[in-house]
């Protein structure tokens, strides 16, 4: 691949073909709204300025000789140039507000604007975590109400609101498990994780100091219960199981798994990132689960993926509730809300494992998630999960004639449809299909995950897509899949209609260029 002196790949003009090489070359390199936006350092330069300011008067500094004498070398641009640069860059992003976002396991659903309106109310948006509690009663009540909803929906007696993402919630749950085991003087070393688990599960267990061992999947894409039972023993602290799992399937043996783990003295962590498929239908508490994180930024429609911070509250069983982290909100008899910040014996909070964060968690996400719940109501939330599952099954059944769907024979899927690359022409892969989808105007699906399926493609439409939008996506997906099966060479160099084409992704991952350096010829010219 040719690289510019700035270390960026050159435009592959030869790839700008619309089939018959008929597209004219443009003077700017832009193609209508596909703008070839340079780096800000290439547009502006340190010796230009966007504003005219008089030279600063001489002042005595108290920096003791540490003051800067060199210019800071940031590119000088006018306000208009700066606004255009960032607006153009933002238009190169695919976003949930631009189109269907089929990433499996991520639940990329529409973020209702009502949520945004509520989060921007001054009483929520303009408060400070160190304000006196009496002056933020409404905010504390919001956190409390959301906590009550989460406990009700999961059938679990306690919840920690402070974790700031799913993976952070996993750590919170595993630390509570470790505290509970240590409290009974039972230091166990191993956490069992199914082969199909999200990468964050084994990473969390290892980060918390556990040895991680795989549990195999059976032919139906579920946890192999016999293999799990055979491995349980006095060294196993617990299991981390995703339900519905990352093959998009419900684990029907979940209660039997929990019972077996408990009998062997371990505890059960459930990765609840896929809760959107079962809200209002199944309560994890009824399945014997001890801890589960809920991604508010997936199931409860708060923005994510560059759109905002995550939030990963963790619900706990009675066995783990005493070890839950501080702080949490309590309602006093006088109707006032109170943030419990200290471990005190008289409040029975003396065995909490500590804190996950400095304050109370992501207030803006709490407001959005509670708005979402209240605007749907209990019946509406149940319908959400039913519609999400219906939409995924519609995709699975519409495409199983074209694409291999490894677990379609074992019945309906949950919220996401899984396909494999079986039947693709020699030399064409899941990656090529993903790139072909970019030309169709879609963000690609999740690919090569879960690892138990060769060339996996995981598609999650969510409930917020209309039938027309899903039909159009199915049409595009089928068309690209047929090109992959028939060996269409052009797919190998897709995307053709994007500002950059096939990048050297290995090099980008292994040797990322994160800091702009002045190109050598400029340095030489200046000398
Ligand atoms: C998204 C996801 C996670 C991690 O959640 P983050 O909020 O991204 O940290 C964990 N497990 C599964 C199955 C997920 O889909």
């Amino acid at each position: 691949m040719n690289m510019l002196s700035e270390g960026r790949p050159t435009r592959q003009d030869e790839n700008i073909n619309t089939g018959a090489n008929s597209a004219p070359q443009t003077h700017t390199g832009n193609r209508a709204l596909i703008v070839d936006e340079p780096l800000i350092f290439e547009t502006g330069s340190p010796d230009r300025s966007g504003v005219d300011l008089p030279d600063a008067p001489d002042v005595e500094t108290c920096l003791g000789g540490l003051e800067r004498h060199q210019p800071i070398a940031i590119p000088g641009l006018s306000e208009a140039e700066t606004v255009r640069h960032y607006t153009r860059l933002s238009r190169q992003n695919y976003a949930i507000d631009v189109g269907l976002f089929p990433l499996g396991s991520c639940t990329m659903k529409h973020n209702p604007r009502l949520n945004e309106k509520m989060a921007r109310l001054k009483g929520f948006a303009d408060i400070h975590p160190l304000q006196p509690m009496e002056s933020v009663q409404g905010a504390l009540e919001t956190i409390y109400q959301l906590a009550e909803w989460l406990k009700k929906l999961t059938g679990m007696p306690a919840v920690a609101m402070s974790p700031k993402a799913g993976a952070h919630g996993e750590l919170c749950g595993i630390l509570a498990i470790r505290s509970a085991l240590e409290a009974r003087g039972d230091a166990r070393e191993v956490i069992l994780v199914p082969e199909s688990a999200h990468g964050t599960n084994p990473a969390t267990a290892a980060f918390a100091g556990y040895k991680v061992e795989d549990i195999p999947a059976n032919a139906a894409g579920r946890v192999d219960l016999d293999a799990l039972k055979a491995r349980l023993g006095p060294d196993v602290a617990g299991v981390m199981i995703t339900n519905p799992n990352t093959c998009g399937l419900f684990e029907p043996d979940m209660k039997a798994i929990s019972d077996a783990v408990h009998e062997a003295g371990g505890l059960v962590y459930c990765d609840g990132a896929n809760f959107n498929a079962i809200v209002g239908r199944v309560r994890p508490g009824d399945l014997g689960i001890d801890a589960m994180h809920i991604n508010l930024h997936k199931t409860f429609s708060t923005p994510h993926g560059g759109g905002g911070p995550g939030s990963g509250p963790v619900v706990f069983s009675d066995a783990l509730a005493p070890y839950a982290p501080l702080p949490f909100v309590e309602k006093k008899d006088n109707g006032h809300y109170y943030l419990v910040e200290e471990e005190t014996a008289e409040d029975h909070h003396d065995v909490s494992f500590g804190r996950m964060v400095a304050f109370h968690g992501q207030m803006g996400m709490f407001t959005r998630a509670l708005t979402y719940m209240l605007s749907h109501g209990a019946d509406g939330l149940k319908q959400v999960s039913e519609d999400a599952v219906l939409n995924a099954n519609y995709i699975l059944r519409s495409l199983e004639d074209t694409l291999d769907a490894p677990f379609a024979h074992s019945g309906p899927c949950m919220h996401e449809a899984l396909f494999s690359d079986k039947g693709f022409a020699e030399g064409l892969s899941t990656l090529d299909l993903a790139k072909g989808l970019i030309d169709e105007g879609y963000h690609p699906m999740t690919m090569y995950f879960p690892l138990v399926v060769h060339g996996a493609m995981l598609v999650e439409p969510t409930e917020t897509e209309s039938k027309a939008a899903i039909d159009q996506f199915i049409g595009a997906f089928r068309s690209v899949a047929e090109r992959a099966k028939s060996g269409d060479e052009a797919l190998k160099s897709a995307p053709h209609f994007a500002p950059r084409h096939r990048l050297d992704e290995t090099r980008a991952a292994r040797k990322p260029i994160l800091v702009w350096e002045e190109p050598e010829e400029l340095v030489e010219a200046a000398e």
Side-chain angles (χ1 to χ4, degrees):
M1 174 178 302
N2 295 328
M3 302 292 271
L4 293 174
S5 51
E6 293 87 3
R8 294 194 294 135
T10 53
R11 223 181 301 127
Q12 292 167 352
D13 290 313
E14 68 280 9
N15 276 339
I16 314 175
N17 76 67
T18 49
N21 250 348
S22 57
Q25 296 292 323
T26 55
H27 169 75
T28 51
N30 300 337
R31 275 153 284 149
L33 294 180
I34 306 180
V35 172
D36 191 48
E37 184 64 11
L39 299 178
I40 198 164
F41 289 97
E42 295 161 0
T43 329
S45 75
D47 48 21
R48 280 173 51 201
S49 171
V51 284
D52 285 327
L53 289 177
D55 286 341
D58 279 341
V59 281
E60 289 241 334
T61 82
C62 32
L63 292 174
L66 292 174
E67 61 271 22
R68 173 189 283 278
H69 296 292
Q70 302 300 324
I72 28 177
I74 52 173
L77 290 170
S78 71
E79 178 176 317
E81 287 171 310
T82 311
V83 167
R84 279 190 188 151
H85 173 72
Y86 286 109
T87 304
R88 284 179 182 148
L89 284 186
S90 77
R91 282 165 45 153
Q92 298 187 356
N93 276 339
Y94 195 84
I96 192 67
D97 289 347
V98 174
L100 189 153
F101 215 118
L103 272 184
S105 205
C106 287
T107 311
M108 304 294 289
K109 60 165 78 175
H110 171 64
N111 312 132
R113 291 305 181 266
L114 181 63
N115 298 358
E116 302 304 318
K117 203 171 168 183
M118 294 301 116
R120 277 171 203 163
L121 290 175
K122 280 181 175 306
F124 294 125
D126 292 352
I127 54 178
H128 191 278
L130 293 176
Q131 248 173 270
M133 269 187 248
E134 276 312 310
S135 68
V136 288
Q137 285 292 302
L140 293 177
E141 183 177 356
T142 299
I143 304 177
Y144 183 86
Q145 268 199 33
L146 178 63
E148 291 301 301
W149 270 87
L150 293 175
K151 289 192 277 183
K152 185 121 196 139
L153 289 170
T154 55
M156 310 273 283
V159 60
M161 300 299 290
S162 58
K164 294 197 172 179
H168 203 210
E170 290 173 32
L171 183 63
C172 174
I174 294 299
L175 291 179
I177 288 178
R178 197 173 71 185
S179 302
L181 291 173
E182 279 172 2
R184 69 176 195 220
D186 187 4
R188 294 171 172 234
E189 290 179 348
V190 178
I191 296 266
L192 304 178
V193 181
E195 278 178 333
S196 65
H198 195 265
T200 50
N201 294 187
T204 297
F207 188 72
Y210 286 105
K211 279 186 215 140
V212 180
E213 284 184 31
D214 273 353
I215 323 170
N218 62 24
R222 270 84 171 189
V223 170
D224 184 333
L225 181 59
D226 291 332
L228 170 75
K229 281 185 174 165
R231 179 58 191 84
L232 289 172
D235 59 336
V236 175
V239 293
M240 290 183 88
I241 292 185
T242 309
N243 195 18
N245 69 23
T246 53
C247 299
L249 303 171
F250 192 76
E251 293 285 354
D253 289 333
M254 195 64 223
K255 184 71 174 67
I257 292 171
S258 300
D259 290 347
V261 173
H262 288 150
E263 204 167 302
L267 289 146
V268 180
Y269 187 88
C270 179
D271 179 330
N274 295 336
F275 196 42
N276 202 47
I278 57 172
V279 176
R281 304 279 305 187
V282 180
R283 299 189 312 167
D286 297 335
L287 302 176
I289 284 152
D290 292 299
M292 180 180 98
H293 75 262
I294 297 163
N295 304 59
L296 298 186
H297 48 290
K298 294 180 183 173
T299 310
F300 296 108
S301 82
T302 72
H304 66 134
S311 182
V314 181
V315 285
F316 289 109
S317 66
D318 281 321
L320 289 185
Y323 305 97
L326 298 167
F328 49 88
V329 179
E330 272 186 357
K331 189 176 180 181
K332 296 281 179 201
D333 291 339
N334 62 7
H336 284 220
Y337 295 91
Y338 181 72
L339 197 60
V340 180
E341 302 246 34
E342 308 281 339
E343 299 170 43
T344 56
E346 86 231 31
D347 273 351
H348 308 290
H349 301 310
D350 54 329
V351 292
S352 160
F353 75 71
R355 275 180 175 270
M356 296 297 293
V357 299
F359 296 115
H360 49 269
Q362 308 281 36
M363 190 65 215
M365 298 303 127
F366 298 157
T367 317
R368 287 174 175 86
L370 185 62
T371 304
Y372 176 82
M373 288 175 178
L374 295 178
S375 57
H376 281 74
D379 54 340
L381 290 177
K382 179 160 173 268
Q383 195 187 335
V384 160
S385 58
E386 290 171 354
D387 290 352
V389 171
L390 179 67
N391 284 355
N393 277 283
Y394 182 57
I395 289 182
L396 180 68
R397 296 306 162 195
S398 301
L399 286 169
E400 67 181 338
D401 59 344
T402 309
L403 279 162
D404 174 53
F407 301 118
H409 58 84
S410 63
C413 62
M414 295 301 292
H415 57 300
E416 52 198 359
L418 180 61
F419 303 101
S420 88
D421 63 359
K422 198 167 148 190
F424 282 15
E426 186 72 27
L428 280 161
S429 65
T430 292
L431 181 72
D432 300 314
L433 184 145
K435 300 294 184 191
L437 272 182
I438 296 175
D439 279 339
E440 296 283 352
Y442 288 104
H443 189 287
M445 67 287 150
T446 291
M447 55 180 178
Y448 300 109
F449 175 79
L451 304 177
V452 289
V453 167
H454 195 271
M457 289 167 262
L458 192 60
V459 178
E460 178 177 0
T462 82
E463 73 287 354
T464 59
E465 297 303 326
S466 67
K467 179 167 180 298
I470 296 178
D471 281 335
Q472 194 192 40
F473 175 75
I474 290 170
F477 209 94
R478 169 177 287 114
S479 159
V480 185
E482 275 164 0
R483 289 168 63 198
K485 286 166 74 177
S486 67
D488 179 354
E489 285 293 313
L491 204 50
K492 286 190 187 167
S493 46
H496 301 272
F497 309 126
R500 291 288 173 275
H501 306 286
R502 214 41 98 90
L503 303 180
D504 184 342
E505 292 180 7
T506 313
R507 184 169 160 188
R510 294 287 150 84
K511 294 196 172 157
I513 301 171
L514 303 176
V515 178
W516 183 79
E517 277 172 26
E518 215 164 329
E520 259 170 44
E521 64 241 48
L522 286 189
V523 178
E524 279 164 19
E527 277 166 4

